[in-house]
Amino acid sequence: MRALQERWERGSPVIETLPASFGRPVAIHQRFIVCALSRGKINVLRKSDWHCVRTLAGHKGEVLDACVNASGCKLLTCSKDGTVRLWDMTKGSHTIVLNNFKLHINRVRFTANAILAAGNTGEAVLFDSTSAARLQVCQSLPLGRAWDANDNCLASMTDGPLVELWDPATCLLKQALLQGNSPMDVGFVHFDRDRIAVTGFCSPDIAIWDLKTYQVWRTINTGVSNALKKVALAGCWLACHAHGVLMVWDVESGTQLQEFRESSSVQSILMDSFGVLIVYHCQTEWRR
């Protein structure tokens, strides 16, 4: 970890370009990256040498989202074919297939002993990860623009200056975090462990909230003149993107480690404690 930080501070991270044939990255884990291919296939790449350790087949349409559990043994995916699949990463086969949804599913997350599947209509469905039994249908969650979930909490933005924290097991509101003081102020939310990063639509600031105390732990002023478009939080690292600029911060000290001028449009950012993965329209770069 120290060597990684020193490379960032010197402005000389290792940059690797992943071939387009690897697919579009949709999830990241400490050991591997999950990439979506055409016609619903999925490549699992080992990060140490980019070797494809598994190709998963089952979906009949493009994979929209994916999530790997903490141990790396389970993968959750959703696709344009209308199904959600739970995969056994050791065997390379799906163990559960969920379908017959009344809503268009485009996001999936693991929560404690359960699967959370949601669309952009504000409705989320919770399933038992072992029996596939439907546990709960949450119809009142404001999930339209930005939300994320971890093992015991789901965070969603509202139309006002609030981020609401929900208990995914009961769909009951746990806490509301006040972010800013103007309507439409809450931007992207992103979990890591017991912290959440929240950006504002019209603000260069990123608030890092402590989910144990429900207080702002640190505020990062990025200094950008344009609205922040993407944010990723992993351990002590924070990556954020505005128009043409990608920044990496050490949130423990509140210092900026690196800034890149991007000539291409960034589609998404995936991050872990070992580096940041930048997904462009035609290629992907791994910076560490």
Side-chain angles (χ1 to χ4, degrees), residues 2-14 256-259 288:
R2 181 59 190 167
L4 173 66
Q5 182 169 355
E6 289 175 352
R7 287 204 302 271
W8 284 110
E9 290 173 343
R10 291 198 307 267
S12 56
V14 176
Q256 183 178 338
L257 300 179
Q258 186 58 268
E259 179 175 311
R288 57 182 176 84

Side-chain angles (χ1 to χ4, degrees), residues 17-258:
T17 301
L18 279 65
S21 60
F22 284 0
R24 173 178 54 86
V26 289
I28 191 169
H29 186 263
Q30 290 185 351
R31 300 195 307 272
F32 48 79
I33 293 170
V34 179
C35 297
L37 299 167
S38 61
R39 299 181 181 179
K41 289 188 177 182
I42 302 166
N43 272 347
V44 180
L45 307 177
R46 189 167 55 210
K47 279 171 30 181
S48 59
D49 56 6
W50 304 122
H51 175 69
C52 180
V53 294
R54 289 207 181 276
T55 297
L56 308 176
H59 282 300
K60 305 302 181 185
E62 178 187 357
V63 172
L64 301 174
D65 193 30
C67 182
V68 185
N69 72 340
S71 65
C73 63
K74 293 181 179 180
L75 172 68
L76 190 61
T77 60
C78 65
S79 164
K80 283 185 176 180
D81 64 9
T83 66
V84 172
R85 294 173 187 260
L86 178 65
W87 305 80
D88 185 324
M89 296 287 278
T90 59
K91 298 178 180 178
S93 59
H94 53 252
T95 58
I96 291 177
V97 179
L98 305 173
N99 50 28
N100 296 323
F101 292 101
K102 293 182 179 180
L103 67 158
H104 174 63
I105 299 295
N106 57 16
R107 293 287 299 278
V108 287
R109 288 292 182 270
F110 285 105
T111 63
N113 301 316
I115 295 169
L116 181 71
N120 54 8
T121 61
E123 182 172 292
V125 187
L126 200 68
F127 295 90
D128 187 285
S129 59
T130 303
S131 66
R134 184 172 295 208
L135 302 176
Q136 188 80 257
V137 177
C138 313
Q139 297 179 329
S140 59
L141 301 182
L143 302 180
R145 287 187 301 279
W147 68 275
D148 205 352
N150 65 7
D151 282 348
N152 53 26
C153 193
L154 184 150
S156 62
M157 57 176 287
T158 68
D159 288 334
L162 296 176
V163 173
E164 294 179 338
L165 303 179
W166 299 77
D167 184 339
T170 61
C171 292
L172 297 178
L173 183 65
K174 297 172 61 174
Q175 186 78 20
L177 309 179
L178 179 63
Q179 172 76 10
N181 52 19
S182 62
M184 305 296 289
D185 194 37
V186 174
F188 295 88
V189 296
H190 192 90
F191 269 110
D192 181 73
R193 300 175 186 170
D194 293 320
R195 294 174 184 166
I196 183 173
V198 183
T199 68
F201 275 125
C202 304
S203 170
D205 295 343
I206 301 174
I208 312 295
W209 291 78
D210 186 320
L211 296 182
K212 294 180 179 178
T213 63
Y214 300 121
Q215 300 293 321
V216 175
W217 172 74
R218 186 176 299 283
T219 300
I220 303 292
N221 188 315
T222 64
V224 299
S225 57
N226 298 308
L228 293 164
K229 298 295 184 182
K230 304 285 188 302
V231 63
L233 181 65
C236 63
W237 311 115
L238 173 74
C240 57
H241 176 255
H243 290 290
V245 180
L246 177 77
M247 292 169 284
V248 179
W249 294 76
D250 178 351
V251 296
E252 295 290 343
S253 63
T255 57
Q256 183 178 338
L257 300 179
Q258 186 58 268

Side-chain angles (χ1 to χ4, degrees), residues 269-283:
I269 300 173
L270 301 175
M271 194 176 191
D272 67 4
S273 299
F274 300 96
V276 57
L277 196 68
I278 303 104
V279 183
Y280 303 97
H281 178 65
C282 298
Q283 71 177 39

